[in-house]
Amino acid sequence: MRVLVTGGAGFIGSHFVRRLVAGGDSVVVLDKLTYAGNPANLEGIEHEFVHGDIADPVAVATATAGCAAIVNFAAETHVDRSILGPMEFVHTDVLGTMCLLEAARETDARFVQVSTDEVYGDLEAGGRAQEGDPLRPSSPYSAAKAGGDLQVLAYVRTYGVHASITRGANTYGPNQYPEKLVPLFTTNAMEGEPLPVYGDGKQVREWLHAEDHCAGIELVLREGAPGEVYNVGGEDHENIEITHRILELTGADPSLVRHVEDRAGHDRRYALDDSKLRALGWQPQHSFGEGGLPATVDWYRDNRSWWEPIKSGAYRAYYDEQYANRLKA
Ligand code: NAD
Ligand code: DAU
């Protein structure tokens, strides 16, 4: 099958491209190469590349030509950046998604929207979000993703587009841009920089390896039903527990841990009921604590040439805006 993978130069998208190509599919990547897009993530993987914006109908028409399916990973993805500047999130995560849906409508391509557990919002202790639950997004990022999801469901019902949605948990693994918890804290620990824990650090997230996440998305691409949503869950851990595990794995000094001003609107807990995807045959292969996190830390240790150049220039400006005052306080 010829598949369009948007956002294929990013973290999870590049794992997905590798997976499809290894399985014999041919892949076209459409990517704007924002700060988070990195051609190095696709090195050595055979693919066609279209440099463009998913919100640009001309770029989308070029990229979709001859494709039987579109899998949409392209998004602005970082909650903290959405708090600093939300507009770009609506451009890509809502309007961009709609532009791709228009292409799917025209070409009859199968469509998979890669969404997030954050659309369900904060969960009470003990509860797990199911696919039919109401959407209660808290951040400009999760609100934009929820907007994209609702458009997908509207295009299924109104125009008969063959589209499904996956809602994945916090994903970790090699090639993740060092702004998110695991790669930020791992690379900071390796550089002897502070690890800025928001608030008390007792927030709970589910952790899902990128390869397991991609296996779930591929299953939905092949076997998912139109109009259906599939949660892709992970393992629950508190942020502070992960922070201490990263210190252990890197051998960094525990005094690097700094409790700083909390993220605005910070959700306390996410948890997914993923039994629907498991019923299709999905099962995660990576355990976070046992193998997944140690192997990821090893990857960052062995691939300094991948992340060191990123942590300068525009990254530094973002980092200072986000953390300088927090770390001074
Ligand atoms: P990422 O930030 O690493 O990469 C995003 C990619 O999209 C980059 O290559 C970027 O250049 C590209 N992009 C951004 N705007 C674009 C535009 N307008 N047109 C074309 N390309 C554009 O993202 P990620 O963490 O790999 O996430 C991929 C998808 O998975 C996103 O849709 C995200 O919402 C979803 N998701 C991520 C996680 C996670 O923990 N990282 C968890 C659940 C769901
Ligand atoms: O849950 C899925 C989502 O996971 C995806 O949809 C998003 O694209 C992805 O970025 C991720 O969102 P989070 O906000 O949960 O990820 P992040 O790594 O930014 O934060 C994880 C937790 O760690 C969260 O509770 C905030 C906390 N944190 C994060 C950073 C960057 C800190 O305490 N300090 C930090 O510096």
Side-chain angles (χ1 to χ4, degrees), residues 250-301:
T250 54
D253 193 324
S255 68
L256 292 178
V257 175
R258 302 276 292 279
H259 286 267
V260 299
E261 183 195 337
D262 209 346
R263 171 184 280 176
H266 199 173
D267 285 332
R268 198 73 184 159
R269 175 174 177 268
Y270 301 137
L272 290 172
D273 176 343
D274 58 17
S275 49
K276 186 169 169 184
L277 188 61
R278 285 177 190 262
L280 279 188
W282 176 79
Q283 206 172 358
Q285 303 298 312
H286 298 263
S287 140
F288 182 74
E290 299 301 312
L293 185 63
T296 300
V297 169
D298 284 347
W299 188 86
Y300 282 93
R301 188 181 285 115

Side-chain angles (χ1 to χ4, degrees), residues 140-222:
Y141 161 68
S142 53
K145 291 296 289 187
D149 284 17
L150 293 176
Q151 289 295 344
V152 172
L153 297 176
Y155 270 67
V156 173
R157 176 148 179 177
T158 307
Y159 303 116
V161 169
H162 191 302
S164 315
I165 297 173
T166 61
R167 294 194 181 132
N170 275 63
T171 305
Y172 71 97
N175 299 98
Q176 185 170 28
Y177 189 86
E179 64 186 352
K180 312 276 167 72
L181 182 75
V182 167
L184 175 69
F185 282 18
T186 300
T187 56
N188 276 14
M190 287 175 181
E191 291 183 309
E193 293 270 341
L195 311 190
V197 175
Y198 294 151
D200 64 6
K202 290 189 185 293
Q203 302 85 359
V204 176
R205 298 287 183 272
E206 285 197 332
W207 295 90
L208 169 67
H209 194 281
E211 285 169 8
D212 287 329
H213 194 165
C214 289
I217 294 166
E218 185 183 1
L219 188 58
V220 170
L221 169 65
R222 311 235 181 254

Side-chain angles (χ1 to χ4, degrees), residues 7-11 13-15 17-18 29-52 175 177 299 305-306 310:
F11 164 47
S14 60
H15 283 266
V17 174
R18 187 176 298 107
V29 170
L30 170 61
D31 200 296
K32 190 176 170 183
L33 296 179
T34 67
Y35 77 92
N38 187 346
N41 293 346
L42 292 169
E43 253 166 38
I45 310 172
E46 201 180 319
H47 67 283
E48 289 168 47
F49 188 82
V50 178
H51 184 197
N175 299 98
Y177 189 86
W299 188 86
S305 61
W306 182 87
I310 294 174

Side-chain angles (χ1 to χ4, degrees), residues 111-161:
F111 191 89
V112 178
Q113 170 73 350
V114 180
S115 187
T116 169
D117 59 1
E118 298 208 7
V119 297
Y120 299 117
D122 230 348
L123 292 194
E124 297 295 319
R128 296 203 160 264
Q130 293 185 315
E131 288 85 350
D133 285 356
L135 305 189
R136 294 189 307 113
S138 307
S139 70
Y141 161 68
S142 53
K145 291 296 289 187
D149 284 17
L150 293 176
Q151 289 295 344
V152 172
L153 297 176
Y155 270 67
V156 173
R157 176 148 179 177
T158 307
Y159 303 116
V161 169

Side-chain angles (χ1 to χ4, degrees), residues 215-239:
I217 294 166
E218 185 183 1
L219 188 58
V220 170
L221 169 65
R222 311 235 181 254
E223 295 184 26
E228 293 296 322
V229 178
Y230 301 86
N231 290 340
V232 194
E235 250 179 65
D236 311 20
H237 292 280
E238 286 185 353
N239 295 337

